[in-house]
Amino acid sequence: MNRMEEYRSLQAELERPPAQLEGTVRRAQARQRREARRRRAWWTSCGTAAAAFALFVVLVNVSSPFAAACESIPILKDLAAAVSFSHSLSSAVDHGYVQSIGQSRSIGGVTVDLDYMMLDGGQAVFFGRVTAPEGVEHCQLVPEIRDASGNELLGYALMSSTVTPGTLSTLFTIAITPEEFAFPEVLDITCAVELRWAQEGNAPAPAHTAHGQEDDPHSPKPDATVEFELYVDDWLLQQGRSIPVEQWFEVDGNRFYIASLELYPTFAKFELAADGNNRETLQTLDYYLEDERGNRYERGSASGLLAMGDSYWFESPYFQQPEHLTLHITSASWMEKGRERARIDLETGQALTPLPEGILPTVGRENSSIAVGLTAPLGRDSTENHHAHYQLFGGHYYAPDGTAFEITRLSSYSGVPVWDEAYEQREALYDTHFTQTICLEDWAWDTVEIELYFSRRAEYPQPLSLRLF
Amino acid sequence: MHEEEYVRRAEAAKARLYRTSLLYLGGEAAAVDAVDEAVYRGLRACRKLRQEAYFDTWLTRILINVCNAELRRRKRELAMEQLPETAAEEFDALPLKDAIRRLPQQLREVVVLRYFTGLTLAETARTLGVPPGTVSTRQRRALALLRLELSEED
């Protein structure tokens, strides 16, 4: 064969591409999605979280009858859509229990519109929208509150989750402990906005930090910071009523007492007092309440907060005014004495002491940061669009020499971490599990001891029922 | 360039890219891996491509970078395969496919892009970032070493 014949033969050979080439573009798209997840997961793991134990709960649920009822109230129509996932907030909107704020602040291409507030004696829920430059996929608001003189306030938790630019959303919630928290007459709210870009590399350097943020090298600087000033109406803070219960009951051999229920326009709660002789500590409780008409009031609240201290939150029957309410307990998690901590090997990512059943350890590194996480099955009431996370970590972690560190940042996200070396083996868990991580900075040891939130979870297929009134 | 358009054009270009990478790297699996990598890198960067007319040369450039990186990696592991231009007898003794792979890099790039990837002289010059005259010269030297008498139409 001469060179020209060879040339034509080679041309013919090259015209027969292998079958594997078929999936090239599909593989590139899948890899890009995995990378995006990894970046988000890492960012979420080691970025600035809004508050300790913030829960990022994804809810999509359209209440059609309610939305239809709001057709004639144009100003509240979009808010009705924004709160349709929450029975309490939907009822509050339905009854006109909304304060219009109508404040807007812009800086460096980012606009925060603070449109509405729902405020009562137990929490304040803020609604609005963030407008961001093209290419921004999500915005994370990190709010801070002070009084008009700049003094810090005590006895509250702030919760926020990512919002989609341009969409009216719940921006953040202030949950308060009424005994400790006093609403100032004027509330100063500072919102740091962190932008998350759809494409890596599109993000310009943050150029607009209006207020001198502390130079914390471990915290990403916000892309914009805006301030709002709100006058708080005393009348709203007085809304709510208490209903006496005064009953003892027993779960898994442990005894509890409920003194009363507190019903507010935007949420409701009851306090559980534990018998000092209980062999286990109750950590979480899954439950719902039911009135005499069969209406269910689910646990939790619009902000994702399930409980504060010994108070357990549920969707409010405030506007329904039921004659009777029955508590149905469906599952609980318990902490057994002596099993509060678990040691994790940061080199291998393995747990050196037992973890609760079904919980997997995970470890990832990037530069001087180590993300230590726990992966667990999604809560049983999860759906495709509603991923129920629950708390896995306790409040501290410890160095091998016994030094205790407080967990001040905790991230929770659906899926398993793509940055974990075990990802390939765990990929099948991506849609059924969630992961919570803490971030260790400049950690000098090769193990860490983490505090666990529970040692076992118990399901009650036949709910334990207690008529409260 | 929007991602949807990129996906459409990458689908159309992948066979051509494969021809290029196969001649660069030799093995079928390595060639597919290189195309995968180039298409992925292109997907990540496609929004930065302002002039869609340059899609083919832009993506080919990405692929060549991927192939060169792989060749550099191999060079660290294996003895260098390239032959000097003075080794005319060795080139004659090799099958055409191997002879192309053992051309000096600058000559190999030109012959692969011109006669196997199907780029015009101007596109080859743009892809390689050299003047068209330089492409012409390298093309002539490469064809002489390979004992190929190819016209513009071949």
Side-chain angles (χ1 to χ4, degrees), chain A residues 41-337:
Chain A
W42 183 264
W43 204 100
T44 309
S45 299
C46 287
T48 302
F53 306 126
L55 284 171
F56 299 86
V57 179
V58 182
L59 283 162
V60 179
N61 178 13
V62 177
S63 168
S64 303
F66 175 69
C70 284
E71 290 289 327
S72 60
I73 316 171
I75 192 170
L76 292 181
K77 187 179 170 188
D78 53 353
L79 183 59
V83 302
S84 62
F85 65 88
S86 161
H87 166 83
S88 299
L89 299 190
S90 293
S91 285
V93 171
D94 202 15
H95 288 80
Y97 194 82
V98 179
Q99 260 194 318
S100 182
I101 299 174
Q103 291 188 24
S104 182
R105 302 283 184 272
S106 294
I107 188 163
V110 176
T111 300
V112 179
D113 293 312
L114 203 54
D115 295 327
Y116 305 106
M117 169 173 73
M118 287 186 200
L119 171 65
D120 58 30
Q123 69 173 358
V125 189
F126 293 87
F127 304 90
R129 74 188 83 220
V130 181
T131 309
E134 189 181 348
V136 172
E137 199 171 36
H138 297 292
C139 307
Q140 173 78 52
L141 257 67
V142 184
E144 282 182 13
I145 57 171
R146 293 174 188 275
D147 69 15
S149 307
N151 297 316
E152 288 198 21
L153 302 167
L154 298 173
Y156 69 91
L158 268 168
M159 285 147 292
S160 66
S161 56
T162 53
V163 297
T164 304
T167 306
L168 183 66
S169 315
T170 307
L171 294 183
F172 55 92
T173 300
I174 307 170
I176 63 169
T177 307
E179 304 78 42
E180 298 175 44
F181 186 85
F183 258 108
E185 190 178 338
V186 177
L187 187 64
D188 265 8
I189 301 173
T190 304
C191 281
V193 185
E194 293 160 8
L195 307 180
R196 304 194 183 168
W197 296 77
Q199 292 285 324
E200 188 181 34
N202 283 6
H208 305 284
T209 48
H211 308 277
Q213 295 282 319
E214 294 298 322
D215 283 334
D216 177 357
H218 305 309
S219 297
K221 289 197 166 37
D223 296 274
T225 305
V226 293
E227 278 191 2
F228 298 93
E229 194 177 77
L230 298 179
Y231 287 84
V232 178
D233 187 337
D234 262 354
W235 178 83
L236 294 166
L237 298 174
Q238 292 157 16
Q239 299 311 299
R241 60 179 182 273
S242 181
I243 298 173
V245 176
E246 297 173 350
Q247 288 190 52
W248 282 95
F249 66 102
E250 196 173 300
V251 185
D252 281 0
N254 299 300
R255 298 186 75 232
F256 299 92
Y257 180 74
I258 299 182
S260 63
L261 293 178
E262 286 178 45
L263 308 185
Y264 297 96
T266 65
F267 80 107
K269 65 179 180 177
F270 57 85
E271 302 266 345
L272 277 191
D275 187 322
N277 294 322
N278 287 348
R279 59 184 174 81
E280 293 172 301
T281 306
L282 178 67
Q283 296 293 77
T284 64
L285 201 61
D286 283 359
Y287 54 88
Y288 63 92
L289 289 94
E290 190 175 24
D291 67 17
E292 70 281 2
R293 295 184 291 272
N295 295 320
R296 275 174 65 135
Y297 304 93
E298 304 293 340
R299 74 176 182 135
S301 62
S303 64
L305 192 67
L306 301 175
M308 270 181 85
D310 294 324
S311 71
Y312 291 79
W313 293 35
F314 59 99
E315 293 283 8
S316 179
Y318 181 85
F319 291 107
Q320 283 69 29
Q321 301 192 343
E323 287 185 20
H324 303 291
L325 266 186
T326 300
L327 172 68
H328 300 284
I329 296 173
T330 55
S331 73
S333 61
W334 305 91
M335 175 53 79
E336 183 186 328
K337 284 173 186 166

Side-chain angles (χ1 to χ4, degrees), chain B residues 18-37:
Chain B
Y18 170 74
R19 289 199 293 274
T20 308
S21 62
L22 185 63
L23 285 172
Y24 260 78
L25 302 175
E28 189 177 291
V32 172
D33 283 350
V35 175
D36 273 8
E37 181 65 26

Side-chain angles (χ1 to χ4, degrees), chain A residues 252-458:
Chain A
D252 281 0
N254 299 300
R255 298 186 75 232
F256 299 92
Y257 180 74
I258 299 182
S260 63
L261 293 178
E262 286 178 45
L263 308 185
Y264 297 96
T266 65
F267 80 107
K269 65 179 180 177
F270 57 85
E271 302 266 345
L272 277 191
D275 187 322
N277 294 322
N278 287 348
R279 59 184 174 81
E280 293 172 301
T281 306
L282 178 67
Q283 296 293 77
T284 64
L285 201 61
D286 283 359
Y287 54 88
Y288 63 92
L289 289 94
E290 190 175 24
D291 67 17
E292 70 281 2
R293 295 184 291 272
N295 295 320
R296 275 174 65 135
Y297 304 93
E298 304 293 340
R299 74 176 182 135
S301 62
S303 64
L305 192 67
L306 301 175
M308 270 181 85
D310 294 324
S311 71
Y312 291 79
W313 293 35
F314 59 99
E315 293 283 8
S316 179
Y318 181 85
F319 291 107
Q320 283 69 29
Q321 301 192 343
E323 287 185 20
H324 303 291
L325 266 186
T326 300
L327 172 68
H328 300 284
I329 296 173
T330 55
S331 73
S333 61
W334 305 91
M335 175 53 79
E336 183 186 328
K337 284 173 186 166
R339 289 195 58 191
E340 291 88 352
R341 297 188 195 179
R343 200 160 74 250
I344 307 291
D345 186 326
L346 300 174
E347 295 300 320
T348 65
Q350 302 296 310
L352 302 172
T353 51
L355 290 173
E357 191 180 345
I359 308 284
L360 300 167
T362 180
V363 173
R365 289 171 183 271
E366 190 155 303
N367 301 325
S368 62
S369 301
I370 303 176
V372 179
L374 296 172
T375 295
L378 289 168
R380 64 178 186 156
D381 51 348
S382 295
T383 65
E384 188 182 355
N385 294 319
H386 169 193
H387 288 180
H389 299 186
Y390 45 90
Q391 190 172 334
L392 304 174
F393 281 86
H396 297 83
Y397 57 97
Y398 303 87
D401 65 6
T403 309
F405 298 85
E406 190 178 356
I407 296 177
T408 55
R409 295 176 188 168
L410 180 79
S411 301
S412 191
Y413 48 90
S414 298
V416 294
V418 186
W419 37 261
D420 193 305
E421 285 182 8
Y423 176 74
E424 297 291 328
Q425 293 89 55
R426 296 182 184 175
E427 192 171 10
L429 306 178
Y430 201 92
D431 294 326
T432 57
H433 283 60
F434 73 101
T435 301
Q436 274 174 9
T437 54
I438 58 172
C439 207
L440 314 181
E441 297 288 354
D442 302 318
W443 191 253
W445 300 273
D446 52 14
T447 62
V448 64
E449 202 165 45
I450 55 173
E451 221 167 63
L452 299 169
Y453 193 61
F454 60 84
S455 56
R456 74 175 178 101
R457 282 166 64 83

